[in-house]
Amino acid sequence: MALGFEPVSGRVTVQDGVYQQLRHALMVGSFDPAQVLTIASLAEAFGTSNMPVREALRRLAAENALEISQNGSACVPVVTRARLDDLCRARVAVEGLAAELGASRLTASDIATLEKITADQQAIGRNGSVYELIAKNQQFHFTIYRASGSDVLFQLIETLWLRFGPYMRLLSNHVAPLMRAGTMEPSGRHTAIIAALKDRDFARAREEVVADIQTTQETLRAICPDVPESRPVEFAGFGKAS
């Protein structure tokens, strides 16, 4: 499993280390929709025993980032238009508010950081990895959302992005050839967001963030299955010895 996972050691930190790395990988779309993640293969990738992986998967299942099959393996959720629309409605509401609150609290240094991230995206778009681009996109948005000063909003946003991970994977597969061909804008509406921030037009900044989400939604709706695959999920079966 070539996902760049780092070995995790230390009795106190091993479970959190596995959880945090898996959580980030899911959030940036490192796994395919419906992909099966076995405890044994993940334990080997992390260089740990099965127990910390099992506990990390349980935590991620509790956050609805994974589903647990009857044999104890974890599955990445399937993607559907209905789930996509539901998630994007929530993202527009929560992230729009966080953007408007954060916009008024961003410093000149923060805005310079956003400009640097956007420049990095432009460079990555020419010859880099689509996953680097997705990670930079997350960094850009979370810089604004953290500035909101609301722990509640930021935690909700992290959960929404975690559940949005399979759609980011679908998007990455779609935009990779466009990126190589130079026909895609690598930074989305980030330049417009920065312009609104510099004008201190916080309502416009919110509108641009919302438009960024909705543009992604429309792209995904065109390539997202309308009907989900049927797959039984039995949470009680999780945690059996593997």
Side-chain angles (χ1 to χ4, degrees), residues 53-127:
V53 172
R54 183 180 290 111
E55 292 304 315
L57 294 180
R58 278 179 176 158
R59 290 171 68 180
L60 290 163
E63 294 180 89
N64 294 308
L66 294 172
E67 298 169 347
I68 306 305
S69 64
Q70 293 177 337
N71 66 1
S73 296
C75 299
V76 179
V78 297
V79 294
T80 72
R81 287 183 198 164
R83 290 184 188 180
L84 169 68
D85 291 344
D86 196 25
L87 282 167
C88 286
R89 274 192 298 267
R91 286 191 59 193
V92 163
V94 177
E95 293 178 44
L97 176 57
E100 188 166 1
L101 292 173
S104 65
R105 297 163 61 102
L106 288 168
T107 65
S109 176
D110 292 329
I111 293 175
T113 296
L114 295 176
E115 290 180 312
K116 174 63 165 59
I117 294 168
T118 301
D120 288 345
Q121 287 182 294
Q122 298 292 337
I124 292 167
R126 288 191 292 272
N127 52 21

Side-chain angles (χ1 to χ4, degrees), residues 10-218:
R11 182 177 296 273
V12 176
T13 62
V14 62
Q15 189 182 124
D16 279 343
V18 170
Y19 167 74
Q20 292 295 341
Q21 288 194 60
L22 269 178
R23 194 171 191 265
H24 177 73
L26 286 162
M27 197 177 290
V28 298
S30 297
F31 300 105
D32 289 320
Q35 183 175 343
V36 175
L37 309 178
T38 65
I39 293 173
S41 63
L42 288 170
E44 182 179 359
F46 284 113
T48 69
S49 66
N50 287 353
M51 183 58 68
V53 172
R54 183 180 290 111
E55 292 304 315
L57 294 180
R58 278 179 176 158
R59 290 171 68 180
L60 290 163
E63 294 180 89
N64 294 308
L66 294 172
E67 298 169 347
I68 306 305
S69 64
Q70 293 177 337
N71 66 1
S73 296
C75 299
V76 179
V78 297
V79 294
T80 72
R81 287 183 198 164
R83 290 184 188 180
L84 169 68
D85 291 344
D86 196 25
L87 282 167
C88 286
R89 274 192 298 267
R91 286 191 59 193
V92 163
V94 177
E95 293 178 44
L97 176 57
E100 188 166 1
L101 292 173
S104 65
R105 297 163 61 102
L106 288 168
T107 65
S109 176
D110 292 329
I111 293 175
T113 296
L114 295 176
E115 290 180 312
K116 174 63 165 59
I117 294 168
T118 301
D120 288 345
Q121 287 182 294
Q122 298 292 337
I124 292 167
R126 288 191 292 272
N127 52 21
S129 161
V130 68
Y131 298 107
E132 290 181 72
L133 200 64
I134 291 173
K136 288 290 182 181
N137 179 66
Q138 182 196 41
Q139 185 183 357
F140 181 95
H141 283 267
F142 279 22
T143 297
I144 299 172
Y145 302 152
R146 283 193 186 94
S148 70
S150 171
D151 289 340
V152 172
L153 283 176
F154 192 74
Q155 288 166 5
L156 288 171
I157 290 167
E158 282 194 309
T159 299
L160 288 170
W161 278 58
L162 186 58
R163 296 182 67 176
F164 204 72
Y167 298 90
M168 295 305 289
R169 177 68 167 199
L170 187 67
L171 183 68
S172 69
N173 292 336
H174 175 72
V175 303
L178 302 178
M179 196 171 89
R180 288 193 294 268
T183 59
M184 184 198 78
E185 169 50 54
S187 62
R189 301 184 69 91
H190 292 182
T191 300
I193 294 169
I194 291 171
L197 294 171
K198 286 184 170 181
D199 291 342
R200 296 192 63 78
D201 189 337
F202 308 134
R204 193 171 103 231
R206 175 177 184 157
E207 290 169 2
E208 291 294 350
V209 167
V210 166
D212 198 44
I213 296 168
Q214 291 174 333
T215 298
T216 299
Q217 180 184 6
E218 287 307 308

